[in-house]
Structure formats: C-alpha cells, structure tokens
Amino acid sequence: MKKKLALLLTLLLALGTVLSACGGKNSAGDGGSENEKPKQEFRVNIKTEPFSLHPGLANDTTSGTVLRNTFEGLTRIGMDGKPELAMAEDYEVSEDGTVYTFKLRDAKWSNGDPVTAHDFEYAWKWALDPKNESQYAYQLYYLKNGEAANTGKASLDSVGVKAQDDKTLVVTLEQPTPYFLELTAFYTYLPINSKIAQKNPDWYKDAGEDYVSNGPFKMVTWEHRSKIELVKNDQYWDKDNVKLEKITMHMIEDVNTELSMFKKGELDWAGLPFSALPTDSIEQLEKEGILNIKPIAGVYWYKFNTEVKPLNNVKIRKALAYAIDREAIVKNITKAGQIPAMAAVPPSMFPENEKGYFKDNDVETAKKLLEEGLKELGYKDVSELPVIKIAYNTDEAHQKIAQAIQDMWKKNLGIKTELENEEWAVYIEKLHRGDYMVGRMGWLGDFNDPINFLELFRDKNGGNNDTRWENPQFKQLLIQSQKERDPEKRLELLKQAEKIFMDEMPVAPIYFYTNAWVQNDNLKDVAISGLGDVQLKWAYFE
C-alpha cells in the first residue's frame, strides 16, 4: 500500500496537469479514412443536471465543468497546471502584496458586447450580496471587506474590487494571498455580462440569447435533465487555439449505460472527471489496457449533521468514523487506486496524511467511544439510538459504499441505519438545508493549497459547511494562517487547525480520489489538472 501511495503521489507531483493523450480502443469520431479530416465534435456524459450555471451560484463539479469551458476569468489554469493570463493581459501587484491592478485585453461576450472591468466588479459583488445566497461567497472573503459585506456588516461599495475604467480592475485584498492568481481562475471569480444580468435576473436558467459567456465555447442547447450542447465561441479572443467545434454533454445517471455508449462509439469518453465508471468494470478495463488512472487532490467523506442527535456527540461521530474499513472499500468497491483517508487534507499537500490521525478500521476504539457517547447522551445502550440515515446522491458506487458502511456499522457497533438517495440537484439542496443525518460528499481542491480543504468548515453557516460545526480555535488558526507571511509557519498553523478538525470529526474521511476513465484514442490534449478539474479549450481529434 505504501509503495502504491508513493507512486501515486510521485505521479501527482510530477504531472501537475494531466494531458490526456492515451486511452481506449474507441475510435468513433475519427471521421473515417486516414486522409479525411476528423469531426471536431466531443461527446461526453456529465451524468446529472448542473446545480446552477450562474458563476456566483455554482457549487459543484458538474456545474464547474460546464462553466470552465464556457466562461473565462482574469486567469485560467494552463496546460502546465499553473495560472496564466486570460481576460487580463497584464497586471501589477503592490509591494505589500495586497493590491492587484489588472489590465483587461480586448475581449467580447458571445453576443458581441465588450467584456469590461465593470462585469467583474458586478459579478463579484453579486456573489457577496447576502440576498443572493451564494454558497461560495466565502471564496471572495480574500477581498477587503468581502466577508463584512457578505455578513451584512459593511456595504458592497466598500468591497475591494473596483472598475477604474472599462479596461482596468483594481482589487484590494485583506492580506497578501500568494495563491490569488489561482483563485481568479476559479468559477466564483468569473465575470457576468452586467447589462444582461441587470435586465434579466433569470438570464442563467436556460440556453437562449441572454445566456452569454466569454470563454472558448458558448451554450446553444440546454434540455434540462437531458443534455447540454456547446459550440465554439466565434467571439472568443483566443478562438484560433480552440479546435473543437461542438461539445455534447449528456445527462445519463446510469454509468453502465454510459460505458455501453462509449463501447458503441456513441461517446468519446467514459468516467471521471465528467462522470464515473461502473466499479465492476474497472478490473476488466485495466486488463484490456485501456484504463487511465490519475491521482488528484480530492477527498471522499461522509458529513455529519452535528446539530442532530446523536451526531451532536463527538464520541458518537468518532465511533462511526473509526468503525469504517476503508481498505476494504477501495480494494473491493472503488478499485481504482484510491487511498484510504484518515485525514482531511490530501497527502499531496500534507505528506504525513498518508498515515493520518487514526487507525483504519479501529473497531476496538470505536466500541469504547460509542459506549462513552451513549452514556453522555443518556442512552442505556445502542438499542435506544435512533435509526441513523445515510444519504447519498444516485450513483452505483455511492450506493455500494453506503451499503458497505451500513453493514460495518451494524456488524461492528450494532447501529441500525437506513439508506436514502436522491438525484444530485435535490440531494445537494437537502444537505445545504441541513435536512440529513449523514451525507456523502466529495471535495476536490479549488486551488492548490491546504486551506481550501479546511476553510469549508470555518463558519457554522458558511456556504459549503453542511455539518453546522464550528470551533473558535479552529477558526482563529485559519485567520492567523492567512496573515502569516512565513510559509513554514503558515503550514504549521494549518496543521494545527486540521488536528482540531479531526479530533472533533464533523466529517468521516473515506478515501483520497483518483480519476479513472477510458477515452477515444484519437482525442488529444484534454487538460485535467492535479485538482481534478477538466478543460476542453485545447482538446482536438487527431
């Protein structure tokens, strides 16, 4: 296991961005004869309806996949996995690292309107406006007065983003942020056509003349719960480097159907990061030599609703977490080189998290903690515990993992559980409302820094903190880390924060992610970053 982990980590560090140049035997889309030019049309399954295609409301990987290919921020993560200039053609940083002045290039929205600095200012302030309930508003807390404005303690006018003129955007930060140019590539930092958004507040809900974007592709069809079609954006400033003419994104929940369509030549890709492969097929695909596996900075975990009894008790939460056999899950269910997780931050960022904070499948300790937790809650024994409901979004692998954990908790602790599943958009809304007990979720890094895995839980009512957990010391350590200029001292503060987090266990980490997929042999230069997100700007069929 250690050798496998070392290999995976070496790959992750060495690759940064994975350029998908190898793949399956599917040759559909090659246009026929060798002398005939291939059709530049990419067909893929994204499995489910995006939560939202508004950059300020999106909070999931499906929405992010669409937005990264239709919009563009001040920067974009390049083929080498590093941020490169995009809508900004140049920038300057003040000596103290808190003021960025971006000069925008000549660029247009897909309807021909110019992209202006005002569009960025509008979009960022829209997401921070508390009435819009952006789950990802906290990503903009790096801006001066960003958090204060989002919590109603300051006006939006005081936020540190200002269009000096149409081509100049001045951004003032609360404190120096060394990864800020990675953040400006993230979808919460994307611009919005302010003229259209002010005229039509529902501009983002359907494809149509008001759904305009500024990226390499534009959306022309959105058949809800069926498919999305993108075409090359002829107004895009860098259109000469965009080779795909059309992208069709199907929404098929059954991953077996997806793989079958791939084998028939009806899809050019099957599996992550767009969807997933059937777990039962992975070993055979590997034997056939067509399976791609790449490690990414992401973690699969079970969130606990810490306001619901008995999960309001830390010992009960830890008992449940310790009684999971992660090695069995990755070996018998997921089967794609995933790494058992006994920590929150991936080992690519904290190498010591290869070992983590507790032993995997530590049933003896789990039983002891359960007994102590029952006493603290006033229960005579485990039979008096309410049935614990495990929620997950519809998916074969999520179902198998939930069933396995259900069996483990029953066998190891005598705890009764029920399984609940919902379609993704319904499921994630229920988690955000706190309408769950235990819910599966994954987190892929938005940018390459450990704070991204911890800041989710900084505030009880924070955008993606569905656990309702909060700890003042944890919060203070995160705040201190953002002010600390010494990189080593900063990492130490983050490690102290993670220790508190794992000791209180608002989530039970299960495994660290890999991406597993098969693809058309002729498809080249699909860019998958070390964080697992995907871009098609440079993709083409050979």
Side-chain angles (χ1 to χ4, degrees):
M1 189 63 210
K2 286 187 177 180
K3 288 183 179 179
K4 181 187 286 187
L5 177 57
L7 175 61
L8 289 172
L9 293 178
T10 301
L11 282 168
L12 179 58
L13 293 169
L15 289 171
T17 293
V18 178
L19 303 181
S20 309
C22 55
K25 302 298 181 185
N26 179 356
S27 59
D30 63 2
S33 70
E34 290 184 12
N35 295 324
E36 188 178 339
K37 285 189 175 181
K39 283 186 177 181
Q40 297 299 331
E41 297 183 6
F42 178 61
R43 302 156 303 166
V44 69
N45 180 36
I46 59 172
K47 195 174 181 185
T48 187
E49 178 82 359
F51 178 73
S52 177
L53 293 185
H54 188 305
L57 294 176
N59 60 14
D60 65 305
T61 54
T62 304
S63 304
T65 295
V66 181
L67 291 171
R68 283 187 181 92
N69 292 291
T70 51
F71 282 78
E72 185 162 271
L74 296 167
T75 55
R76 174 181 284 278
I77 303 302
M79 294 276 277
D80 60 358
K82 298 176 182 177
E84 62 184 28
L85 292 174
M87 283 294 103
E89 65 177 3
D90 197 9
Y91 71 97
E92 293 179 355
V93 188
S94 63
E95 282 190 20
D96 68 356
T98 62
V99 180
Y100 286 70
T101 303
F102 294 95
K103 292 293 182 181
L104 271 61
R105 67 176 74 250
D106 290 330
K108 293 180 180 179
W109 291 99
S110 53
N111 67 348
D113 290 346
V115 178
T116 72
H118 302 282
D119 294 328
F120 281 92
E121 180 181 356
Y122 173 85
W124 296 7
K125 288 182 175 178
W126 189 95
L128 283 170
D129 189 337
K131 76 172 187 287
N132 293 321
E133 299 182 347
S134 170
Q135 299 287 337
Y136 251 134
Y138 68 84
Q139 286 287 35
L140 295 157
Y141 286 5
Y142 298 92
L143 307 181
K144 189 170 185 62
N145 288 326
E147 181 177 8
N150 187 237
T151 54
K153 297 174 184 175
S155 69
L156 288 168
D157 290 339
S158 70
V159 174
V161 55
K162 183 68 178 176
Q164 192 168 294
D165 54 49
D166 283 354
K167 290 296 182 68
T168 310
L169 187 72
V170 180
V171 181
T172 305
L173 306 181
E174 287 282 0
Q175 57 263 327
T177 305
Y179 45 86
F180 187 63
L181 293 181
E182 287 191 56
L183 282 168
T184 53
F186 188 65
Y187 50 75
T188 314
Y189 282 80
L190 294 172
I192 291 169
N193 186 313
S194 52
K195 291 180 182 177
I196 285 181
Q198 289 168 329
K199 179 186 70 175
N200 176 14
D202 293 331
W203 66 272
Y204 61 92
K205 294 184 176 178
D206 288 287
E209 62 179 21
D210 281 352
Y211 195 94
V212 298
S213 60
N214 68 324
F217 304 97
K218 61 181 180 181
M219 182 169 63
V220 292
T221 303
W222 186 359
E223 296 177 12
H224 293 278
R225 292 182 169 80
S226 177
K227 70 176 179 180
I228 285 173
E229 291 179 331
L230 312 179
V231 298
K232 183 175 177 178
N233 180 4
D234 59 2
Q235 299 289 339
Y236 181 51
W237 69 275
D238 198 24
K239 64 183 178 182
D240 291 346
N241 285 316
V242 179
K243 301 181 181 70
L244 290 179
E245 295 290 338
K246 184 178 180 181
I247 301 167
T248 302
M249 297 176 163
H250 297 277
M251 301 175 200
I252 302 162
E253 287 195 347
D254 186 352
V255 291
N256 289 287
T257 301
E258 174 184 348
L259 183 58
S260 175
M261 290 176 68
F262 171 81
K263 289 180 175 179
K264 291 175 184 175
E266 297 169 358
L267 293 176
D268 301 301
W269 189 287
L272 287 162
F274 296 99
S275 177
L277 289 171
T279 55
D280 291 341
S281 71
I282 288 177
E283 287 179 300
Q284 180 58 37
L285 294 171
E286 191 169 20
K287 286 178 183 176
E288 293 173 20
I290 63 173
L291 182 69
N292 299 276
I293 296 178
K294 301 297 179 186
I296 59 173
V299 60
Y300 186 105
W301 52 29
Y302 269 23
K303 290 185 173 181
F304 296 124
N305 186 338
T306 61
E307 290 187 333
V308 174
K309 199 173 181 179
L311 302 173
N312 59 336
N313 182 276
V314 63
K315 290 179 179 176
I316 299 293
R317 298 196 298 267
K318 292 174 85 167
L320 293 170
Y322 289 9
I324 296 171
D325 187 344
R326 293 156 181 79
E327 186 70 42
I329 288 172
V330 301
K331 182 180 179 182
N332 301 320
I333 299 177
T334 59
K335 301 178 184 178
Q338 292 88 353
I339 303 159
M342 283 74 74
V345 177
S348 58
M349 297 178 183
F350 286 164
E352 58 268 40
N353 283 357
E354 174 185 350
K355 181 178 179 182
Y357 290 84
F358 57 92
K359 287 196 305 181
D360 184 28
N361 193 30
D362 189 356
V363 177
E364 185 179 341
T365 304
K367 287 179 176 178
K368 181 174 178 290
L369 288 165
L370 176 63
E371 185 178 346
E372 292 173 1
L374 290 170
K375 286 181 181 177
E376 289 176 6
L377 290 171
Y379 293 121
K380 181 179 64 178
D381 55 41
V382 72
S383 68
E384 293 189 346
L385 273 181
V387 173
I388 292 178
K389 296 179 180 179
I390 304 173
Y392 60 93
N393 55 298
T394 304
D395 174 88
E396 177 209 32
H398 300 332
Q399 181 183 26
K400 288 182 177 180
I401 291 169
Q403 289 170 339
I405 290 176
Q406 180 182 42
D407 291 343
M408 291 169 190
W409 287 350
K410 175 65 175 174
K411 176 185 173 184
N412 296 334
L413 302 176
I415 288 176
K416 295 178 182 177
T417 59
E418 289 180 3
L419 304 185
E420 301 178 332
N421 77 286
E422 303 276 2
E423 178 270 328
W424 172 248
V426 176
Y427 175 75
I428 195 171
E429 187 62 35
K430 287 181 72 172
L431 256 65
H432 290 335
R433 288 199 314 266
D435 183 16
Y436 79 105
M437 291 183 74
V438 179
R440 69 75 28 196
M441 190 59 72
W443 189 258
L444 305 181
D446 299 327
F447 51 93
N448 193 29
D449 192 274
I451 197 171
N452 187 231
F453 288 82
L454 301 172
E455 66 181 352
L456 299 170
F457 306 96
R458 200 190 85 162
D459 299 302
K460 179 177 180 178
N461 296 313
N464 285 308
N465 185 7
D466 307 309
T467 69
R468 306 295 197 271
W469 173 84
E470 189 175 71
N471 179 289
Q473 188 181 358
F474 173 84
K475 181 174 181 175
Q476 187 57 39
L477 285 166
L478 294 186
I479 292 171
Q480 280 181 251
S481 77
Q482 292 176 303
K483 296 177 181 178
E484 178 57 61
R485 303 296 295 273
D486 184 305
E488 292 301 317
K489 289 180 180 177
R490 179 177 174 274
L491 284 180
E492 187 55 40
L493 290 169
L494 292 175
K495 289 176 183 178
Q496 290 175 31
E498 186 188 30
K499 186 176 186 302
I500 291 170
F501 182 75
M502 294 310 303
D503 190 52
E504 296 207 4
M505 203 70 74
V507 305
I510 311 295
Y511 61 77
F512 295 116
Y513 274 105
T514 59
N515 275 351
W517 77 92
V518 290
Q519 70 173 81
N520 185 320
D521 274 343
N522 299 323
L523 178 64
K524 308 298 177 184
D525 285 2
V526 174
I528 305 174
S529 81
L531 300 174
D533 53 64
V534 60
Q535 296 185 74
L536 298 168
K537 172 179 175 175
W538 304 281
Y540 67 98
F541 287 96
E542 194 172 57

